Amino acid sequence: MAGLAVKAHELIKWFGEGEAKTYAVRGVSFEADFGEMFYIEGPSGSGKTTLLSLISGILRPNSGSVLVDDKDIWSMTSDQLADFRLNKVGFVFQDFHLFPRLTTAENVAIPLILKRRDWNESMNSAMEYLEIVGIKDRANLPPVKLSGGEQQRVAIARAIASSPDILIFDEPTASLDGDTGRRIVEFVKHNVLNEMRCIIIVTHDSRIFEYADRIMKMEDGRILGIEKGGPHEE
Amino acid sequence: MKGILKIAYKLLVNDKGKFAALLMGITFAVFLMIMMTSLFAGILHRSSATVLNVGAKIWVMDPAVNTAVNSIPMPDYVLDAVRSINGVNYAVPLYSGGALVKLRSGVYQSVTVLGLDDSSLFGRPELIEGKIDDIYAENAFVVVKDAEFPKLENPRIGTEFEINDHRGVIVGIARVTTSGLFGVPTLYTTYNRAITYIPSSRFTDAFILVDPKSNDAVPYIKQQVANLGYLALTKDEFIEKTSTFYKYKTGLGTNVLIMTVISFIVGLSISGQTFYTFILENLEKFGALKAIGAKGKELIFMILFQATFTALTGYGLGIGFASLLITIAKLRLPDYAALITYGNLGMALVMVVIIAGISSYIGVRKVLKIEPFDIFRG
Ligand SMILES: Nc1ncnc2c1ncn2[C@@H]1O[C@H](COP(=O)(O)OP(=O)(O)O)[C@@H](O)[C@H]1O
Ligand SMILES: [Mg+2]
């Protein structure tokens, strides 16, 4: 492993007040490293998505801290947080959230454009990322013309276009058929993961556990334990 | 920022159906506003035709007069009194009245007759045929060649007619800058002939036209005329008074105002509604942009750009259609009174900016409120 990527410390998050107050995350601490595929696994409603949002600068915890590069991201201003998400984190949303009115290449170029890269330069880089994920020939089509697996690849290309240190997937195989899902995650492990990058995947799809380095089990907002992943886990 | 604007532009324009609906709303609103206000401006301009054409600097009239076409004659002593005011260079009477003309074909046609002061012919029109001095000849009249000219069966110099059982003959054909509103041809003659040929009330001075010695004398002249119990207005004041009359004291102005407000509301609701739907449909995407790392002000910028772009495009199209229609209408109907003024354009622009402002305010509020977490959870 090539060092600490994220350190979560005693994260607590609840929703609602009074009677309606529900705890989604109840004091979670863990560390994820560069160069690893770190899975978060657990039943629906166990707080996985909430935890993912806390560590990626999307949702503010009620208490606890998230250290990235030795800085607590939750002590930043909202503009600094936006910059943090733009430069350090890549998101692959569960239902992709691609822009139907833009071409595939333009979708991929968005993080670069937000980084104020020149339009043509951004489009050229987008083409390179589309080539990495193997769908360069779809560059000028709108995403709706693509299959689910291809859309997933566009979302991955967009997430890695900003060269993030931390790449975040929420249920990457949920909207894909089994085989496509496996192939995508295998692809991510072999082509997107590197020693400078930490990939955090939320899933309860056991068919992709073989690509995990570590699997953190959650239930009811708590960590049950962390296991080693790989082909022979169970 | 340029790239961000390009993205905003593509999100807007590539959604062809919605973009078309947005443009239609604004274009329609602008078109209606421009049409209504231009028509009104045209009518106001025409309603001051006599004031503009005669060109006197100061007009003295009965205080109850609203427009140059509905005069209330003043007794003769007023003219002498005005002439003796300090600062008056000269003052002449103007006769203005209606008469019935029997054309050679036997057809009767009503006309407006303007009688010019015999010695100075002050306020005379520019002749395109004939000599102005011929107006002193027996039974002489000068006819104005405007949109109403054909109603006199296109007279030429020497054409004869009957006016209130007197003989009349055309000695000149004149051109004026502004034609009147009421669809009646205009004849010029001398003051004295006008009052002898046309049955009048006891008083005959419809207006007194005054030339001041200098502009500084104007307030004093106005004051002195007021002391006589009459009203002296500068040319611009008289035009203003005429406009005010049509704007506020006739149903015309109120109707135009109502139509303008309605077109504004229609435009606002169509475009506001469509823009709101546009934002709602893209709300998730804006949320995703936020999650990816777009800052609040960048999203605001995108929305403002989209609203402004749509508004200005619709504004241009609306003006284009309105000018096109007015031009075509003027070709078909020479009498069509519509005038696109900078005031109208400015007012429509202000309304469009308000429409865009309200629409983007709603959009911005929505977009700033979305939590990227909600997008993330799906
Ligand atoms: N915005 C919210 N308001 C109220 N409760 C929420 C909200 N988001 C999540 N929760 C609750 O928090 C718990 C954890 O949710 P989530 O993190 O989405 O779980 P998972 O991703 O493991 O399915 C659930 O009980 C859910 O109902
Ligand atoms: Mg979830």
Side-chain angles (χ1 to χ4, degrees):
Chain A
M1 299 293 164
L4 185 62
V6 199
K7 180 183 163 101
H9 183 69
E10 283 300 314
L11 286 173
I12 293 176
K13 180 69 194 178
W14 68 75
F15 295 102
E17 292 296 334
E19 294 272 288
K21 186 164 169 179
T22 50
Y23 280 84
V25 173
R26 310 172 182 253
V28 166
S29 303
F30 71 92
E31 295 178 357
D33 297 316
F34 288 116
E36 77 167 328
M37 297 272 274
F38 187 90
Y39 280 34
I40 302 174
E41 192 266 319
S44 178
S46 56
K48 306 182 298 292
T49 299
T50 308
L51 179 59
L52 217 43
S53 311
L54 299 179
I55 63 173
S56 57
I58 280 192
L59 184 67
R60 184 174 291 276
N62 296 102
S63 70
S65 61
V66 175
L67 292 186
V68 174
D69 288 342
D70 287 329
K71 274 196 301 268
D72 180 4
I73 63 167
W74 289 111
S75 63
M76 298 184 195
T77 65
S78 63
D79 274 3
Q80 287 171 326
L81 266 174
D83 279 332
F84 164 75
R85 294 197 299 266
L86 183 58
N87 296 305
K88 297 281 182 185
V89 189
F91 296 92
V92 180
F93 305 104
Q94 187 174 330
D95 27 21
F96 314 144
H97 287 302
L98 301 171
F99 288 87
R101 309 286 175 194
L102 300 180
T103 66
T104 294
E106 285 162 355
N107 265 283
V108 173
I110 282 180
L112 300 165
I113 286 161
L114 287 177
K115 285 186 180 199
R116 304 285 199 278
R117 297 281 162 73
D118 159 83
W119 181 270
N120 290 332
E121 188 194 326
S122 303
M123 294 306 289
N124 290 338
S125 308
M127 293 305 282
E128 289 168 22
Y129 289 108
L130 282 174
E131 187 157 26
I132 292 175
V133 299
I135 47 167
K136 195 180 173 189
D137 55 327
R138 299 283 194 270
N140 292 319
L141 294 176
V144 285
K145 290 269 166 72
L146 273 54
S147 70
E150 287 172 329
Q151 292 189 29
Q152 176 78 289
R153 285 168 190 264
V154 179
I156 293 172
R158 181 175 69 181
I160 60 179
S162 62
S163 331
D165 296 348
I166 305 162
L167 201 57
I168 284 189
F169 290 78
D170 196 2
E171 314 264 9
T173 60
S175 39
L176 304 177
D177 64 78
D179 232 32
T180 314
R182 265 174 51 104
R183 276 212 305 278
I184 288 268
V185 179
E186 182 179 15
F187 171 82
V188 167
K189 172 122 186 176
H190 293 310
N191 299 280
V192 179
L193 181 65
N194 61 45
E195 288 302 301
M196 314 288 286
R197 186 171 276 167
C198 171
I199 296 183
I200 300 178
I201 298 182
V202 158
T203 186
H204 48 239
D205 181 357
S206 58
R207 286 169 302 188
I208 60 168
F209 284 0
E210 60 178 295
Y211 305 108
D213 290 302
R214 289 193 293 159
I215 301 174
M216 180 170 91
K217 293 219 185 260
M218 277 188 84
E219 203 175 288
D220 197 19
R222 289 195 182 83
I223 299 176
L224 292 183
I226 299 185
E227 299 168 0
K228 276 193 75 67
H232 304 298
E233 58 86 42
E234 193 77 324
Chain B
M1 278 294 189
K2 241 170 79 187
I4 294 176
L5 291 191
K6 202 159 168 177
I7 294 281
Y9 171 80
K10 289 184 176 229
L11 290 180
L12 175 72
V13 174
N14 290 355
D15 194 347
K16 290 195 184 66
K18 232 166 251 100
F19 185 57
L22 275 172
L23 276 188
M24 250 170 57
I26 295 189
T27 303
F28 180 68
V30 170
F31 174 77
L32 270 186
M33 281 187 249
I34 297 278
M35 284 309 286
M36 291 311 297
T37 51
S38 298
L39 196 61
F40 195 46
I43 289 173
L44 290 185
H45 186 69
R46 293 271 184 101
S47 68
S48 295
T50 307
V51 185
L52 288 164
N53 292 333
V54 168
K57 283 188 181 148
I58 296 178
W59 292 65
V60 175
M61 67 198 79
D62 188 283
V65 166
N66 290 310
T67 74
V69 287
N70 296 307
S71 54
I72 302 173
M74 297 171 282
D76 299 342
Y77 77 86
V78 182
L79 179 61
D80 297 328
V82 169
R83 281 185 169 147
S84 65
I85 294 173
N86 242 329
V88 169
N89 188 16
Y90 56 84
V92 297
L94 177 72
Y95 176 88
S96 169
L100 209 53
V101 161
K102 187 180 179 193
L103 302 173
R104 283 209 303 192
S105 64
V107 170
Y108 283 92
Q109 167 69 45
S110 55
V111 294
T112 299
V113 176
L114 293 176
L116 303 174
D117 173 51
D118 288 64
S119 54
S120 65
L121 294 183
F122 184 67
R124 63 175 162 243
E126 183 194 339
L127 291 199
I128 47 179
E129 271 178 60
K131 291 195 301 287
I132 191 67
D133 282 341
D134 291 342
I135 204 168
Y136 295 120
E138 214 183 332
N139 302 325
F141 286 84
V142 167
V143 63
V144 173
K145 189 164 188 178
D146 57 8
E148 317 305 338
F149 182 70
K151 292 181 181 166
L152 292 177
E153 297 172 347
N154 294 308
R156 275 177 287 179
I157 287 185
T159 301
E160 295 190 357
F161 54 89
E162 267 177 47
I163 179 163
N164 294 349
D165 298 329
H166 292 271
R167 216 172 69 85
V169 60
I170 300 295
V171 297
I173 296 178
R175 173 165 67 200
V176 292
T177 52
T178 311
S179 47
L181 183 60
F182 297 101
V184 171
T186 306
L187 296 176
Y188 281 88
T189 188
T190 60
Y191 180 86
N192 280 322
R193 186 171 302 121
I195 60 173
T196 37
Y197 280 29
I198 301 167
S200 322
S201 57
R202 194 149 58 93
F203 304 134
T204 48
D205 295 350
F207 295 97
I208 298 169
L209 310 177
V210 177
D211 188 55
K213 280 186 181 138
S214 73
N215 286 338
D216 299 340
V218 174
Y220 178 74
I221 295 173
K222 290 175 66 163
Q223 182 57 47
Q224 291 302 305
V225 170
N227 290 346
L228 290 170
Y230 289 87
L231 183 64
L233 294 177
T234 63
K235 183 168 137 194
D236 290 340
E237 284 168 347
F238 194 19
I239 292 172
E240 187 62 38
K241 181 170 184 167
T242 310
S243 300
T244 307
F245 173 73
Y246 281 102
K247 271 187 204 161
Y248 304 112
K249 297 192 183 147
T250 65
L252 195 62
T254 321
N255 277 330
V256 170
L257 191 72
I258 291 174
M259 284 305 292
T260 310
V261 170
I262 288 177
S263 55
F264 172 70
I265 293 173
V266 168
L268 178 64
S269 25
I270 298 181
S271 8
Q273 187 73 41
T274 318
F275 196 66
Y276 187 61
T277 327
F278 172 77
I279 295 286
L280 279 191
E281 279 186 12
N282 284 288
L283 206 52
E284 272 188 11
K285 310 301 174 211
F286 281 112
L289 278 183
K290 237 181 182 177
I292 290 172
K295 299 187 182 74
K297 59 173 182 288
E298 289 164 345
L299 298 179
I300 293 176
F301 204 61
M302 289 177 78
I303 291 174
L304 283 181
F305 174 77
Q306 290 171 334
T308 312
F309 181 80
T310 317
L312 293 185
T313 310
Y315 179 66
L317 285 176
I319 291 177
F321 282 129
S323 326
L324 192 70
L325 193 72
I326 290 174
T327 312
I328 292 174
K330 278 190 174 159
L331 286 179
R332 304 295 309 266
L333 311 162
D335 237 6
Y336 188 74
L339 197 65
I340 298 185
T341 65
Y342 286 114
N344 298 346
L345 294 179
M347 191 177 80
L349 183 63
V350 168
M351 298 228 174
V352 160
V353 167
I354 294 176
I355 290 177
I358 294 178
S359 305
S360 38
Y361 173 74
I362 297 171
V364 163
R365 268 185 43 152
K366 268 273 176 240
V367 167
L368 289 186
K369 265 213 214 121
I370 35 162
E371 283 292 340
F373 175 60
D374 295 329
I375 306 304
F376 200 49
R377 280 188 74 212

